[in-house]
Amino acid sequence: MALFKKRTTGKPGDWYYCLQHGKVEEGPECPAQDRMGPYPSPEAAQHAMDISAERNAEWDNDPRWQDGGRGGESG
């Protein structure tokens, strides 16, 4: 008997995009490392890769996060 159960986090009503299977799923179907979310709806989860690309572009173009500058440094 195992001392600790390996549980998948998430709950029904939370929507995720599974990177492994390329599909939208509700609740804890796949392991956390293979999914993005939670999202408020299946439609939002379907666009997880688009949302991620938009956020990455924002960070890539944010002067506070550029290497070699003082932006983003505390002090």
Side-chain angles (χ1 to χ4, degrees), residues 58-67 69-72:
E58 287 176 17
W59 277 52
D60 287 344
N61 296 317
D62 189 336
R64 296 174 296 175
W65 295 102
Q66 298 299 319
D67 292 336
R70 289 187 43 96

Side-chain angles (χ1 to χ4, degrees), residues 21-60:
H21 301 108
K23 67 179 183 105
V24 172
E25 53 190 42
E26 181 181 14
E29 289 185 27
C30 291
Q33 70 264 18
D34 293 335
R35 65 181 191 238
M36 297 174 73
Y39 293 94
S41 68
E43 293 78 18
Q46 184 64 44
H47 295 287
M49 297 304 291
D50 297 329
I51 293 167
S52 177
E54 289 171 10
R55 290 178 180 167
N56 285 341
E58 287 176 17
W59 277 52
D60 287 344

Side-chain angles (χ1 to χ4, degrees), residues 3-38:
L3 293 175
F4 300 101
K5 290 183 180 180
K6 191 172 189 177
R7 296 188 324 173
T8 307
T9 59
K11 62 183 184 269
D14 287 342
W15 294 92
Y16 298 88
Y17 181 79
C18 177
L19 299 168
Q20 184 77 17
H21 301 108
K23 67 179 183 105
V24 172
E25 53 190 42
E26 181 181 14
E29 289 185 27
C30 291
Q33 70 264 18
D34 293 335
R35 65 181 191 238
M36 297 174 73

